[in-house]
Amino acid sequence: MYKRQTISSEEIARQRNICSEIFQQINASRAHPLALVDTYGCQQNEADSEKIRGYLSEMGYGFTQDEYEADVIVVNTCAVREHAEMRVLGNVGALNHTKKAKPEQIIAVCGCMVQQEHMTEKIKKSYPIVDLVFGPHELWRFPELLQSVMTRHKRIFATEKADGAVTEGIPLKRDGSVKAWLSIMYGCNNFCTYCIVPYVRGRERSRLPEDILAEARQLVAAGYKDITLLGQNVNSYGKDLDNGVDFADLIRMVDDIPGDFLIRFMTSHPKDATEKLFRTMAECQKCAHQLHLPVQAGSDRILKAMNRHYDRAKYLAQVKLARQYMPDLVLTTDIIVGFPGETDEEFEETITLCEEVRYDAMFTFIYSKRVGTPAASMPDPYSREDKQKHFDRLTEVANRISAEKHAAYIGTKQRVLIDGETGHEEYNLSARTNGGRLVHLKGDLSLVGSFRDVTITGGNTWALYGSLEEENA
Ligand code: 5AD
Ligand code: SF4
């Protein structure tokens, strides 16, 4: 049985001391070094990159998007599908040019992809330009690893197998000023048969409620208006803590923090979504009526082969219950097409499920074989072309339903959070509805970071268009 491990505050203090040492060296040399952190994959990875940037910032690095300008490049990788891995390898390979132009440049590759042995071997052999490789479990000691590369001029590979630990006190440099990620737990215990995540991110482990609440309070005090609680499966939050606080309780605690802000969360595993969660979402003023509930497939045989621990009927019953509590619920999902052995008939069950549920948006993927997962050794007789045909059909269905859902907003009034600029002249602002749907607006830049009422004037598959109430008056 996995025992929850923590990295001590002394250890983190030691890492931050190393940041100070590097800072002093940089200061003494009067250099203005720059770093580039390139992130692939999910929000958890975005959150990890904020920690890497936090450390780099403490060391005195500024940031750039230009590979030729960067003194340190960190590529934070994803392993969920082959496509993402290919993109990473292609882009890391292209850094040959920058390293030639700037031989002292340090190139680091971290994240889920390099937590797989065969990938680390590949980088060792075929990508000599890479100086540092570290897995998700070693992120907390990035300063120490980077310093070793700097002083020892040796390649370093830190990708020990581990269950993972909880770390507090790593500095964060957040990406925006309106929306923030807040990790509440790490890892996954579910071992869905297609998925690499449990192998690379370790066992489920929850942060303590007081640490999460302290961070949430800081975010609210700093003016953040949209906080997304993050975890691979947030519904199993707290199961490893033994303090009686479950995910619904945690939402209520965050909701109790005074201030005008929204609480979102992802991802929810249907096997653990409870009536208590839906009731809590409905009752908590600040909790968005938005649920990302990945179904993955519509056929009971495939769900079982995927080790998902629910069937179609249970999933549909949950959706019904959630909508009873929140009639305005925005519901999204993930679907895998072409799981090994999925027949035409089984795929049809995915289509009928989607027609029945009518998701606001769907994230659809073609199955990608992952080394070491149980599905990788299941017979997979269908061709890539067969799978692509199914994928294209599902995309059509998804796009049509999203467009219909968005069309139904036209003429309604919505309270939105204006969260950024778009760079377009006609609709220069972007915003999100309470349920998280994207709205394009025209208005003054000073509105970014505020909640406003808008009338929805148009919509397509991808977004809504609206006008500010004030301008209609
Ligand atoms: N192939 C395709 N899609 C996958 N996902 C996870 N593993 C795989 C895989 N091997 C999808 C699932 C998950 C989302 C984050 O990525 O739908 O919910
Ligand atoms: Fe992967 Fe399943 Fe865990 Fe999600 S719940 S990360 S799909 S194993």
Side-chain angles (χ1 to χ4, degrees):
M1 174 71 186
Y2 168 72
K3 205 175 150 296
R4 186 176 178 277
Q5 313 266 339
T6 53
I7 304 293
S8 70
S9 52
E10 290 79 24
E11 269 298 348
I12 299 299
R14 196 169 69 80
Q15 298 303 321
R16 295 182 82 164
N17 269 339
I18 296 174
C19 293
S20 305
E21 283 170 29
I22 296 176
F23 181 86
Q24 277 154 20
Q25 283 157 12
I26 286 174
N27 227 5
S29 66
R30 294 177 170 275
H32 298 284
L34 295 172
L36 188 160
V37 181
D38 195 10
T39 314
Y40 294 76
C42 65
Q43 289 80 7
Q44 195 66 62
N45 251 21
E46 298 282 349
D48 283 351
S49 285
E50 292 182 344
K51 291 181 180 168
I52 296 169
R53 283 201 198 92
Y55 272 143
L56 284 164
S57 197
E58 280 202 353
M59 293 174 200
Y61 283 87
F63 293 94
T64 176
Q65 289 301 327
D66 180 345
E67 289 107 352
Y68 284 92
E69 243 180 35
D71 299 278
V72 173
I73 296 182
V74 183
V75 185
N76 189 6
T77 65
C78 170
V80 166
R81 282 171 292 274
E82 191 185 10
H83 180 70
E85 293 188 332
M86 290 301 148
R87 269 179 54 220
V88 166
L89 292 177
N91 291 345
V92 170
L95 295 178
N96 260 320
H97 301 293
T98 65
K99 188 115 175 179
K100 231 180 225 146
K102 199 172 178 140
E104 73 286 6
Q105 185 174 61
I106 294 177
I107 299 176
V109 183
C110 66
C112 294
M113 186 179 103
V114 297
Q115 192 61 40
Q116 307 169 97
E117 224 172 290
H118 68 282
M119 276 299 173
T120 312
E121 284 309 308
K122 192 174 193 137
I123 292 177
K124 232 179 225 169
K125 282 208 193 89
S126 313
Y127 296 81
I129 53 162
V130 175
D131 304 286
L132 169 61
V133 170
F134 61 100
H137 303 309
E138 320 281 343
L139 191 155
W140 64 271
R141 60 189 197 101
F142 169 59
E144 171 187 350
L145 296 169
L146 186 65
Q147 192 182 44
S148 295
V149 173
M150 286 169 164
T151 53
R152 289 203 264 146
H153 303 288
K154 258 177 49 183
R155 302 179 83 194
I156 292 187
F157 290 81
T159 55
E160 294 297 297
K161 274 208 177 70
D163 284 338
V166 174
T167 45
E168 296 295 341
I170 298 180
L172 290 177
K173 186 165 165 43
R174 296 189 189 270
D175 246 357
S177 55
V178 181
K179 298 195 276 194
W181 309 120
L182 203 178
S183 296
I184 64 164
M185 59 188 299
Y186 310 98
C188 182
N189 287 355
N190 292 316
F191 291 94
C192 300
T193 53
Y194 50 81
C195 188
I196 196 70
V197 169
Y199 303 88
V200 293
R201 283 212 174 252
R203 299 289 62 74
E204 280 175 4
R205 51 215 188 266
S206 307
R207 292 178 68 193
L208 296 174
E210 53 266 38
D211 291 327
I212 295 168
L213 291 174
E215 189 172 336
R217 277 191 213 99
Q218 277 172 13
L219 288 171
V220 174
Y224 286 89
K225 296 284 188 288
D226 183 320
I227 299 176
T228 302
L229 308 178
L230 282 185
Q232 235 48 257
N233 172 17
V234 289
N235 296 339
S236 54
Y237 172 79
K239 286 187 180 165
D240 55 327
L241 287 178
D242 236 11
N243 61 359
V245 178
D246 66 11
F247 181 55
D249 301 328
L250 184 72
I251 291 182
R252 219 174 264 283
M253 291 171 172
V254 179
D255 188 69
D256 281 342
I257 298 173
D260 195 9
F261 64 96
L262 277 174
I263 305 167
R264 306 185 196 278
F265 57 86
M266 68 190 313
T267 291
S268 285
H269 195 305
K271 81 177 168 58
D272 302 312
T274 57
E275 179 162 8
K276 180 179 173 189
L277 172 66
F278 303 147
R279 194 182 334 111
T280 306
M281 288 174 73
E283 285 173 4
C284 287
Q285 283 284 315
K286 292 164 193 152
C287 191
H289 290 183
Q290 173 184 14
L291 189 62
H292 184 61
L293 198 65
V295 66
Q296 311 296 2
S299 135
D300 285 345
R301 190 190 74 83
I302 295 294
L303 287 171
K304 202 165 171 55
M306 286 178 163
N307 192 33
R308 292 289 290 176
H309 294 285
Y310 56 84
D311 59 14
R312 180 187 174 103
K314 179 174 172 198
Y315 183 89
L316 289 172
Q318 275 190 343
V319 167
K320 193 169 164 201
L321 190 62
R323 283 178 166 158
Q324 271 165 14
Y325 278 100
M326 295 165 284
D328 60 345
L329 181 70
V330 167
L331 189 68
T332 57
T333 202
D334 292 341
I335 291 184
I336 296 177
V337 169
F339 183 82
E342 186 182 54
T343 63
D344 285 348
E345 291 73 30
E346 285 163 344
F347 169 71
E348 285 308 317
E349 294 187 68
T350 294
I351 296 278
T352 56
L353 182 133
C354 294
E355 294 281 9
E356 190 169 339
V357 174
R358 292 181 59 79
Y359 293 102
D360 293 82
M362 290 162 51
F363 301 88
T364 52
F365 310 102
I366 292 185
Y367 169 74
S368 171
K369 189 171 177 168
R370 306 286 68 206
V371 175
T373 60
S377 49
M378 293 179 186
D380 193 1
Y382 295 95
S383 69
R384 173 81 200 188
E385 276 169 359
D386 292 331
K387 296 183 184 196
Q388 187 68 46
K389 266 190 214 144
H390 284 171
F391 181 80
D392 292 345
R393 241 194 88 208
L394 184 63
T395 308
E396 258 174 48
V397 170
N399 290 352
R400 171 176 52 76
I401 296 173
S402 288
E404 288 167 3
K405 286 252 167 178
H406 283 165
Y409 280 83
I410 297 174
T412 64
K413 214 186 264 183
Q414 302 284 326
R415 183 175 187 252
V416 301
L417 171 62
I418 300 175
D419 59 12
E421 291 179 64
T422 61
H424 295 292
E425 207 177 301
E426 198 185 348
Y427 290 100
N428 61 326
L429 297 177
S430 68
R432 294 274 167 181
T433 63
N434 174 296
R437 306 317 295 146
L438 175 63
V439 185
H440 293 298
L441 298 170
K442 189 174 176 63
D444 198 84
L445 284 187
S446 64
L447 294 175
V448 171
S450 62
F451 288 98
R452 284 288 190 278
D453 286 333
V454 300
T455 302
I456 302 300
T457 54
N460 56 29
T461 290
W462 316 111
L464 300 168
Y465 295 83
S467 67
L468 286 158
E469 286 289 288
E470 289 90 326
E471 288 180 358
N472 297 336

